[in-house]
Amino acid sequence: MWGFERGEAARVVAHSAVIAALCAVVVTPAVAQPKPAGPPPTTTAPAAQPPQPPAAKKPGEPSEADVCYGVTGADAPTKVAACTEVIDKGLVRGGALALAYLHRGLSVSGPDTDKRSKADFRTAIRMYNDAIMAQPLNPHLYMQRGVVHQTIGEADRAIIDYSDAIRLAPRETLPLINRGVVLYLRKDNNEGAIADFNAALKINPKEISAWTNRGIVYRRKGDLNQAIADFTTAIKLLPEKIAPVSFSQVHDTITSQLDRSPQQEANRIALQAAFAYLQRGLAWYDKSDYDKAISDFSESIRLNPRDPAPYVGRGASYMYKNDAKQGIADFSESIKLKPGQAFAHMQRGIAYHRIGDSDRALDDYTIAHDLTPKDPGPLVNRGILYYTKKGKFEEAVGDFDQALKLNPKEINALINRGVTWRQRNDPDRAIVDFNEAVRLGLQTANILKLTQKDKDGKRDPATAQIADQVANAYYQRGMALIDKQEYEAAVKDFESALEINEKEPRAFLGRGAAYLKMDKAQEAVVDLDHAIQLAPGMAFAFFERGAAYHRIDDYDHAIEDYTSSIAIDPKEPLAYINRGMAQIFKNRLDAAIADFDTALLISPDDINALIQRGFAYGLKKDYPRALAGINDALRLSPGNPTALYYRAQVLVLRGDVARAIEDYSQALRVDVKNPRIYASRANLYSSMGEYDNAIEDLNNAIRLRPRDANLYLNRGIAFFNKGELAKALADYDATLKLDPKMSPALNNRCLTRTVMGASLDEALADCNEVLRLVPNDPYAHDNIGLIYLKQKQYDKAIAEYDASLKVDPQRARALYGRGLAKSLKGEEPAGIADMSAASGIQPSISNEFARYGVN
C-alpha cells in the first residue's frame, strides 16, 4: 500500500477496548454493610485462640477490624494482616468474623492466591450457614452470605440469598439493589435488574445506589440519555458540598459499626458521590461528550483520589480530545494507584500509539498481554502497532494468529489480519479473513437484526458492536477488491456496509474511490462529498477522500484534502506522509521533505516517513542523505521490503544498477507477492537490455495483478524490443481491453502494426485515436510519419514529422524520419542535414529506423 492506509481498523479496536476496560473496572455491586448478628452462633470455623480483649488503642486510632473491612483505605497487604489478626485473636464473632474472612479473601495476593482466597470465602460461607441455622429469620445474614456468593461468582445462590432477605425484610432496599446488581452483572437480565431497582425506589425514592445502578443498566442497554438522567438524580440527592474521602479515619472498635461515626458517614457519602460521578462520566464518554466526561471524572477523582477507575476514564477522554499526553499522565496515575491493571496498560499503550511512541506502546501492550494472557485484546492492538508503526508484518500476523487461537471468533483480529495481508500486497488472503469476519458476524446476528433499530433509531449495545464489526469487514473487503481492481464487487461490499449503517462515512469514501477507478466521476464526487458531510470536522474523512484522489493520481485534490485533515488533527503523522508523497508527484520536493520532517517530529521512528524522505532526497540527487534515511528505517525494521524497494529506486537514480537489482531481489524474498517490486525490477532489466528477465518479472506481476493494464503495456514493450512483435501486439491488445483510452498502448500498437507492415490502416486508426485523446501527441505524429514513409507518401510523412517537431524541436526520431522522407523524395541535402542533426542527438537513431524496416 506504500503509505496510503491510515489503519482505521486500529482506531476502532482501540476505542472499543477503552470502553470495555472501563466497564469492567467500574461496574461494582452495592456491598452490604456489616451488621451485628445477635448472640454468636456455633461455628465450625477454626478458632486459633480463645477470644482475647483487643490491645489498648490510643484515642482516635482505628481498630484492626476497621482496617480489615477497608474503612481506613489501607492497601491490600495491610488489610490481609489486619484481617488475619482479627481472625487469629478472635477479636470479633459471628457475622462480623465471617466478614473478616470475606475481606481477607478479597485482599490476598501472591503465591497460591486463588487457593487461599477460596478457602477464606468457603469459611465465610460455612460461618454464615451456621449463623443462619441459629437465626433463620435474620435478613442481614442472608444479605452477607449473598455478598460472599456473589463475590465468588455463584450468582444463582446469591440471588436466592438476596430473595430470602427481601422476603424477610420487604421494606429494606439493599437486598433489592444487590439482587438487581447480580441480575445485570451475572445473569445479563437487564429488565429484571431494572424491576428490582424500581422496587427499591418505590420504597425509598431517595435511595442513591438504586438510581446509580439503574443508570448503569440503562447505559448497558444503550439508553444513554436515561442513564445520564438517573446518575444526575443520584447526584442531586447528595449534599451540595461533599468533602473527599478521609484516609485517616477515627474509629472505635467494631461494636461501633451499628451506629456509624460522623467521619464514616461522610466517607460513605463521598464514596457514593464518587461512584455516581464516575458512572455519569462514562455515559458522557459513550456519547463522545468528552468535556462533560472529564468534568465528572475529575469530580470523582477529587472525592476519592485513590480510585484508579476515574483516572482511566479521564485519560481516555483526554486521548479522544487529542490530548494524549494528559491521557498518559492519567493512565500512569491509575497504574501507580493499582499496579498490575491490564486495562490501564492497554489504554496507555493506545495513547502512546497515537503520539507515535511505538516502543512504549509496545511495552504496555506486552505488559497487558502478560497480565491477561487469555485476553486477545492486547494481542490485537500489539499486532496493529507492528504493522502500522513498525512495519513488522510477520510479528503482526503472529499476534493476530495467537489472538484467534485464544478466540476463533475474535472478529477484530480477523479484520486486522486481513488489513495486514493487504499491506503485504496479498488481497486474496485478506479477503479470506474478511469473508470469515462477515460470516461470524452474520452468524451471531443476521443482517435483518443488524439493520433493525428501535423507535429511537438505536440498537442494543451488543448488536451495535457486531454491526460495526460486520460493516467494517464489508468495508475492508471492498478495499481489498479495489486492490484487485474488481470495482463492481467492491461497490457491492460498500453498499452492504451502508445497509448496516447508512451514516458510515468510510463506506461512502470507499464507494467513491471505486467509482473514481470506474471513471464514474460524477457518482464518485457525490459519495466523497457526502462522506465529508457525515463526518464534519473529522480529520479521517478528509484523509480518506485525499487517499481516494491520490489513487487516481489527482494530486492537487489529494493535497488539498490532506491539508484539511492536518488542520483538524495536526498530530497525525500519516497525513503529513501522504501529503509529502503527493508533493513528490507534483515535483515539490522541498515541500515533501518538510512534510516528512514534521511527521518525524511527531513520530521519530516512523519508518514510512524515513523511507519517503529518503526517496525525496534521492530525487534531489542528494544520495548520501537519501540512503542514510532509508538505512535508518532498515535498522528499525530489518529486511523491510518497502525500505528495500525505495533504496533500490535511489540506487537506480544514482546509477548503481547491480545494487539496485540486489535490493529489489531481497525485497521480493520477503514480500514475494508484491507486483510493484516485480514491475520496477522488470523496468530496470529492460533498461539494461535483459528482456527475458524483464518478461519473467512482468509475468509474475501480471499473475498477481491480472487487471493492471500497465503491466501488459510494459511486457509488450519488452517483447517489442526483443523482436517478438506478435507477442507485443497481443499484450497491447490486452492493455487496451482493460483500458481502451490508454494512449501509450495505442501508440505502441500503432508502431508495432506499422513495423509488421500487415495492418497499416489499423495502425493509422490507432494513432488517430491517440490524437483525438491527446491532441498534438508527438509519438502519434512520429508513428503516422512512419506509416506514410512505408506507404511512400513522403509529403504526408514530412507534415507529420513537422507537427512532432513543433512540439519538440529536438526530437531525434522526428528529425531523422523527416530527413529520410526528404531524401527519398529527392531533397537529399536537406534530408542529410535533418538526419545528421538527429544522429547528433541520438547516435543510434539510424539503427532504430533500420529495425522499423525503413532506411
Side-chain angles (χ1 to χ4, degrees), residues 89 138 156 332 372 528 604 612 632 654 668 675 698 750 782:
K89 290 184 177 180
N138 187 328
D156 291 330
S332 298
T372 53
L528 295 171
Q612 296 300 332
D632 283 342
R654 197 177 72 169
L668 284 169
L698 288 164
C750 173
D782 290 346

Side-chain angles (χ1 to χ4, degrees), residues 18 82 152 305 563 620 834:
V18 174
I152 63 177
T563 302
K620 285 172 66 74
D834 273 351

Side-chain angles (χ1 to χ4, degrees), residues 101 104-106 108-123 126 152:
Y101 279 104
R104 188 172 73 175
L106 289 170
V108 72
S109 61
D112 298 324
T113 295
D114 289 344
K115 183 178 179 181
R116 288 185 292 134
S117 61
K118 285 179 182 177
D120 277 346
F121 294 145
R122 293 300 176 190
T123 298
R126 285 197 303 271
I152 63 177

Side-chain angles (χ1 to χ4, degrees), residues 508-834:
F508 283 103
L509 290 163
R511 190 171 68 178
Y515 281 146
L516 285 175
K517 287 290 191 178
M518 296 165 72
D519 289 330
K520 294 184 177 181
Q522 187 173 354
E523 295 94 328
V525 169
V526 170
D527 270 356
L528 295 171
D529 289 348
H530 188 56
I532 300 296
Q533 293 167 11
L534 286 171
M538 299 296 287
F540 85 89
F542 287 99
F543 178 93
E544 295 291 350
R545 188 172 73 173
Y549 284 123
H550 201 150
R551 285 187 177 91
I552 62 163
D553 304 333
D554 185 346
Y555 303 116
D556 289 325
H557 277 108
I559 290 169
E560 183 180 338
D561 274 343
Y562 292 144
T563 302
S564 296
S565 176
I566 288 166
I568 297 167
D569 182 5
K571 296 180 181 180
E572 173 53 63
L574 194 51
Y576 293 98
I577 294 170
N578 274 22
R579 188 174 71 175
M581 292 171 68
Q583 303 275 22
I584 286 176
F585 283 105
K586 297 293 290 183
N587 202 31
R588 301 170 188 164
L589 299 179
D590 290 332
I593 289 168
D595 273 343
F596 301 137
D597 285 342
T598 303
L600 288 165
L601 284 174
I602 299 168
S603 180
D605 61 351
D606 193 306
I607 62 169
N608 281 323
L610 289 167
I611 292 167
Q612 296 300 332
R613 187 176 67 177
F615 181 56
Y617 277 125
L619 293 171
K620 285 172 66 74
K621 296 183 169 37
D622 188 345
Y623 301 122
R625 292 176 80 172
L627 294 172
I630 297 174
N631 288 338
D632 283 342
L634 284 166
R635 275 192 288 275
L636 289 168
S637 179
N640 183 279
T642 306
L644 290 166
Y645 170 84
Y646 277 101
R647 190 169 71 178
Q649 297 282 79
V650 172
L651 291 169
V652 169
L653 293 169
R654 197 177 72 169
D656 195 340
V657 174
R659 284 188 62 197
I661 292 288
E662 183 180 334
D663 271 354
Y664 284 138
S665 301
Q666 187 178 346
L668 284 169
R669 282 193 288 271
V670 178
D671 194 1
V672 71
K673 292 187 176 183
N674 192 320
R676 186 175 185 181
I677 304 175
Y678 282 113
S680 295
R681 190 172 69 175
N683 288 339
L684 186 53
Y685 278 135
S686 284
S687 71
M688 298 163 62
E690 297 185 16
Y691 301 119
D692 287 332
N693 286 334
I695 289 165
E696 182 181 353
D697 272 350
L698 288 164
N699 288 342
N700 283 320
I702 288 168
R703 175 177 53 81
L704 293 166
R705 197 170 170 82
R707 295 171 183 263
D708 191 330
N710 284 298
L711 299 176
Y712 292 97
L713 173 66
N714 287 339
R715 191 173 68 178
I717 294 169
F719 277 127
F720 181 90
N721 288 329
K722 192 183 175 189
E724 298 185 19
L725 301 186
K727 290 182 178 179
L729 193 62
D731 271 346
Y732 298 142
D733 287 342
T735 303
L736 291 164
K737 186 176 181 181
L738 291 166
D739 186 354
K741 295 181 180 181
M742 183 179 277
S743 58
L746 286 164
N747 259 325
N748 285 6
R749 190 169 70 176
C750 173
L751 176 61
T752 304
R753 284 171 167 169
T754 302
V755 174
M756 294 174 75
S759 306
L760 294 182
D761 289 340
E762 291 179 337
L764 186 59
D766 278 344
C767 281
N768 283 332
E769 177 64 11
V770 173
L771 291 173
R772 189 185 69 80
L773 295 168
V774 188
N776 300 318
D777 182 87
Y779 293 96
H781 285 300
D782 290 346
N783 290 336
I784 294 173
L786 182 62
I787 292 171
Y788 287 139
L789 270 177
K790 288 210 163 194
Q791 291 178 335
K792 299 183 180 181
Q793 298 184 51
Y794 302 124
D795 287 332
K796 288 185 176 181
I798 290 168
E800 293 296 332
Y801 289 128
D802 282 342
S804 179
L805 289 165
K806 189 175 180 180
V807 177
D808 180 5
Q810 297 297 308
R811 284 185 67 78
R813 182 181 294 175
L815 281 167
Y816 194 89
R818 188 176 70 178
L820 193 58
K822 287 179 179 179
S823 295
L824 292 170
K825 185 184 175 186
E827 300 174 2
E828 194 166 339
I832 291 172
D834 273 351

